[in-house]
């Protein structure tokens, strides 16, 4: 049995909440408009049918202690083909070490092998390159100066989860570089291609020597997926 309710306003009999019973559906007909001037709280809701194009936040974490590695497990899935990793405020405890990123299986017990190249130019105009034809890491910078030196990077990872497509990584970063003739800020561009096809779910950030992170600073890493629609 159905009926038609004609009204210009609905008010709760008690309190300030009007509830729709479990299992019921509020159906907004085609051509009608749901005009919301307040706040839509979708906490705990399953949202379907909304456009999902653009960057979708997968996880974000902070660190303010010296650690051997910073691990992000099970962030690569079949949901996205392309991922963006944003790193900010991170330091290497040991001077003259590189910040590296490693991409591996779910438990990070094995890693993909990459052929990579890193090109860096510092504020003095000096240029440096780092490269390898086969390494279980990609250098994101070159010879960071010391314990109070922050570095930042944007890393794009293509098809890490696809077992039949080679993983590609491209990135850009900024750091403080120990160079002949003085220390200076530096900008670098880096990229690498896996030497084989492997399904990877996780990644790890670490220094080429010593720990990363400090109790004096808060570093952040955020991981996003590129949604097509």
């Amino acid at each position: 049995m159905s009926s038609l309710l004609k009204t210009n306003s609905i008010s709760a009999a008690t309190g300030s909440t009007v509830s729709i019973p479990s299992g019921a559906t509020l159906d907004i007909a085609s051509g009608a408009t749901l005009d919301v001037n307040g706040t839509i709280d979708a906490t705990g809701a399953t949202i379907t049918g909304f456009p999902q194009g653009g960057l979708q936040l997968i996880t974000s974490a902070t660190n303010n202690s010296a650690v051997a590695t910073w691990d992000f497990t099970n962030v690569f899935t079949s949901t996205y083909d392309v991922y963006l990793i944003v790193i900010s405020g991170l330091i290497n405890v040991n001077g003259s070490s590189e910040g590296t990123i490693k991409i591996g299986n779910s438990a990070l017990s094995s890693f993909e092998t990459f052929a990579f190249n890193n090109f860096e130019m510092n504020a003095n105009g000096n240029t440096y390159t780092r490269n390898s034809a086969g390494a279980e890491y990609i250098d994101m910078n070159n010879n960071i100066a010391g314990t109070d030196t922050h570095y930042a990077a944007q890393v794009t990872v293509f098809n890490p989860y696809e077992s039949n497509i080679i993983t590609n990584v491209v990135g850009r970063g900024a750091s403080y570089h120990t160079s002949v003739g003085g220390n200076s800020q530096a900008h670098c561009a880096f990229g690498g291609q896996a030497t084989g096809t492997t399904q990877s779910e996780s990644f790890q950030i670490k220094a080429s020597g010593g720990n990363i992170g400090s109790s004096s600073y808060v570093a952040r890493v955020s991981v996003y997926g590129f949604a097509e629609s």
Side-chain angles (χ1 to χ4, degrees), residues 138-162:
I138 294 175
D139 283 331
M140 295 185 291
N141 39 52
N142 181 63
N143 290 343
I144 294 177
T147 58
D148 288 335
T149 302
H150 300 80
Y151 68 87
Q154 295 179 342
V155 187
T156 306
V157 184
F158 299 84
N159 303 113
Y161 190 78
E162 295 295 330

Side-chain angles (χ1 to χ4, degrees), residues 35-194:
D35 186 3
V36 179
N37 294 314
T39 301
I40 296 178
D41 184 0
T43 303
T46 300
I47 301 175
T48 61
F50 286 88
Q52 295 293 313
L55 286 175
Q56 305 296 315
L57 179 65
I58 297 172
T59 187
S60 184
T62 58
N63 171 67
N64 64 337
S65 62
V67 294
T69 65
W70 197 353
D71 298 344
F72 291 81
T73 58
N74 299 313
V75 293
F76 303 141
T77 66
S78 59
T79 303
Y80 307 105
D81 294 328
V82 184
Y83 297 82
L84 174 66
I85 302 169
V86 180
I87 304 167
S88 63
L90 196 57
I91 69 169
N92 290 353
V93 173
N94 286 11
S96 299
S97 61
E98 294 77 52
T100 70
I101 185 167
K102 305 175 73 175
I103 296 173
N105 63 1
S106 177
L108 292 172
S109 57
S110 65
F111 298 94
E112 293 201 50
T113 301
F114 284 90
F116 78 85
N117 182 272
N118 180 308
F119 175 83
E120 182 172 276
M121 175 180 288
N122 68 14
N124 295 335
N126 298 321
T127 60
Y128 306 86
T129 60
R130 303 187 70 85
N131 63 280
S132 174
E136 291 186 340
Y137 60 87
I138 294 175
D139 283 331
M140 295 185 291
N141 39 52
N142 181 63
N143 290 343
I144 294 177
T147 58
D148 288 335
T149 302
H150 300 80
Y151 68 87
Q154 295 179 342
V155 187
T156 306
V157 184
F158 299 84
N159 303 113
Y161 190 78
E162 295 295 330
S163 59
N164 59 344
I165 301 177
I166 290 177
T167 302
N168 283 275
V169 176
V170 295
R172 300 168 70 93
S175 61
Y176 193 69
H177 177 63
T178 303
S179 64
V180 176
N183 298 331
S184 66
Q185 285 73 18
H187 169 265
C188 61
F190 55 89
Q193 185 176 74

